[in-house]
């Protein structure tokens, strides 16, 4: 491995490559603490050309390469599968390359965060529409495109961030560099459209979880931020799952272009206030679930009309309006005005010390989510024995459930669901028992949710292989996906092991 290191060292400056143990361990995990893979080398390239050279060496030496944006995938997507390989950290590539104000298109390096890009755009009265994922303060644009990320604001109006994609520059696993969309024509003066010049090859890299190429340059549509906005929060009546789904359907059927519409369930309201991370709801007598909307408009008249229609739907469904200020419980105001859209989920991850959220994120049609949530409750009861095993050690019973439900594009919602457990870091002896039980339960729950017919949009190490293990792909679909990978990446260099394209990924 030393001679590989020496070859790579010639590509980047000394300070941008490391094989120190502590650096390798720092890059061995993502947000979940359950999955670990320690790389041999961590490297931070400056541009597509350097990445191309790195990948050529990796092909010659037959070493896996794992692209990493901010590394905040929830289930091991941007760390190696098994202890090996080169982690390609893209965070140095964080520049804005051009702003085409006339055609409303921005071009950036793929390692830039959603927050940095939007901070820049706001000086021009512009924004990305879909503000990326809830982790957008640090999550990269390249990570977002690789996941079809959605959830960090604006998702009911604009949908997933890949909807705004215009063109990509991608370094293929063999080291060749391509551009997609309008840029496939070498005579094009600037990126302006995704579709055309043949099939939509950008689509191949959207949601690919880093298996088909390294995104280095991304052009996105951008939008003028409307001058007027309203934001209101309502408490739901009983049967909140069904009522909230009904409200979302009615909003869609009436064609009201809400910016965000989110249902936050009673459990989160209760635990959130108990633990002090949602002080805005402490005064609520009944700790029921809430639903909020944010809506934008170009004039006061337009805004008032939209608000009138939305309020009518809310009140016809027997919700109760909370006060206008954040301290009155109006989380919608915090979400839209105070950048809460990028902070909201962080609290959920930090509810208790040593809490382990073993989650996954999926899309489902609006009308399906109440029954999916009911089935997760049912799964929880069926697994009481294993839950008991964990709570005997940690003294806290794990829970299965879902984070907030968010309206996205079409008649769909985003569901973050999973299993929240606790790790006894303080007691090394029981660590193995907890780890094994947690992983067994995590797999079992995600298999159950998969069989509800949901669509996982970020797959990581965990979901990409689980889908294959439980036979969720049709044979025909998998048999098309695999040869595409083999043609683009004959040595399975990039993100080796995902989707079980290379056995269990631990073959070295
Ligand atoms: C608190 C919190 C909130 C979150 N909220 C959301 C949410 O609302 N919606 C959502 O979608 N996700 C959410 N996530 C999950 C995750 O942070 C996002 O999906 C995010 O887009 C990942 O970006 P990243 O830069 O961290 O990517 P990484 O974790 O670094 O990488 C993700 C995947 O993309 C690949 N990849 C990264 N960059 C490139 C590149 N340039 N070229 C090729 N492949 C690449 C990696 O190999 C990996 O497979 C959340 C996570 C946390 C911890």
């Amino acid at each position: 491995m030393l001679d590989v290191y020496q070859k790579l060292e010639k590509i980047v400056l000394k300070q941008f490559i490391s094989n120190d143990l502590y650096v390798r361990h720092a890059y061995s995990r993502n947000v979940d603490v359950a999955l670990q893979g320690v790389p041999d080398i961590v490297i931070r390239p400056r541009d597509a050309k350097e990445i191309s050279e790195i990948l050529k060496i990796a092909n010659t030496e037959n070493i896996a390469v794992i692209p990493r944006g901010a590394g905040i995938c929830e289930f091991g997507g941007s760390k190696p599968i098994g202890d090996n390989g080169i982690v390609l950290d893209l965070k140095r590539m964080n520049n804005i390359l051009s702003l085409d104000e006339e055609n409303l298109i921005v071009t950036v390096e793929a390692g830039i965060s959603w927050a940095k890009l939007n901070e820049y755009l706001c000086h021009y009265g512009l924004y990305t529409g879909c503000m990326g994922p809830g982790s957008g303060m640090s999550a990269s644009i390249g990570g977002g495109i690789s996941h079809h990320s959605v959830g960090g604001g604006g998702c009911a109006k604009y949908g997933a961030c890949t909807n705004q994609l215009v063109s990509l520059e991608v370094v293929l696993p063999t080291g060749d560099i391509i551009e997609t969309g309008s840029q496939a024509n070498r005579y094009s003066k600037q990126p302006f459209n995704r579709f055309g010049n043949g099939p939509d090859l950008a689509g191949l890299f959207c949601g690919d979880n880093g298996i088909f190429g390294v995104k280095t340059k991304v052009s996105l549509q951008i939008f003028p931020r409307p001058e007027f906005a309203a934001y209101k929060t309502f408490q739901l009546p009983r049967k909140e799952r069904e009522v909230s789904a009904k409200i979302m359907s009615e909003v869609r059927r009436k064609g009201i272009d809400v910016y965000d519409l989110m249902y936050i369930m009673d459990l989160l309201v209760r635990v959130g206030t108990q633990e002090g991370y949602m002080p805005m709801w402490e005064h609520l007598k009944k700790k029921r679930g809430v639903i909020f909307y944010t809506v934008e408009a170009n004039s006061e008249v337009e805004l008032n009309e939209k608000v009138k229609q939305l309020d009518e739907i809310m009140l016809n469904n027997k919700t109760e309006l909370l006060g206008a200020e954040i301290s009155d419980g109006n989380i919608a105001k915090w979400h839209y005005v105070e950048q809460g859209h990028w902070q909201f989920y962080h609290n959920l991850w930090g509810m208790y010390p040593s809490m382990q959220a073993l989650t996954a994120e999926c899309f489902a049609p609006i009308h399906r989510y109440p029954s999916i949530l009911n089935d997760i409750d049912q799964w929880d009861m069926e697994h009481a024995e294993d839950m008991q095993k964990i709570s005997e050690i940690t003294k806290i019973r794990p829970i299965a459930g879902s984070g907030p439900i968010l309206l996205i594009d079409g008649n769909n919602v985003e569901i973050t669901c999973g299993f929240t457990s606790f790790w006894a870091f303080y007691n090394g002896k029981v660590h193995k028992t907890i780890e094994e039980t947690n992983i067994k339960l995590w797999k079992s729950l995600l298999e159950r949710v998969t069989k509800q017919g949901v669509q996982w949009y970020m797959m990581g190490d965990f979901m990409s292989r689980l889908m294959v293990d439980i036979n969720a792909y049709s044979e025909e679909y998998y048999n098309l996906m695999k040869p595409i990978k083999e043609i683009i990446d004959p040595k399975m260099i990039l993100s080796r092991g995902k989707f079980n394209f290379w056995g269990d990924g631990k073959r070295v």
Side-chain angles (χ1 to χ4, degrees), residues 30-31 66-74 77-79 90-91 110-111 114 132-136 138-152 208-211 213-216 345-347 349 361 406 414 416 457-458 460 494-495 498:
N30 294 139
V31 171
I66 305 93
R68 182 167 173 127
I72 16 183
C73 172
E74 291 152 37
S78 45
K79 54 103 196 114
L90 290 142
K91 271 291 180 178
W114 292 94
S135 50
S138 49
S140 69
I141 306 279
I145 300 291
S146 306
H147 271 173
H148 281 306
S149 281
V150 63
D208 75 338
N209 290 267
I211 64 165
V214 182
K215 294 149 195 92
T216 45
Y345 298 95
H346 295 253
N347 287 334
W349 256 261
E361 296 184 18
L406 256 165
E414 180 212 44
T416 304
Y457 63 96
M458 64 173 88
L494 212 56
S495 300
K498 281 186 191 158

Side-chain angles (χ1 to χ4, degrees), residues 8 127 158 181 230 241 243 293 320 331 358 395 420 464 468:
L8 293 172
Y127 67 166
Y158 294 96
R241 291 175 179 176
V243 175
Y293 72 71
E320 280 172 46
I331 192 172
L358 298 169
K395 312 295 176 223
T420 299
S464 75
V468 185

Side-chain angles (χ1 to χ4, degrees), residues 16-28:
F16 298 121
I17 181 166
S18 179
N19 58 2
D20 285 346
L21 194 62
Y22 77 94
V23 173
R24 290 164 51 212
H25 273 261
Y27 283 84
S28 69

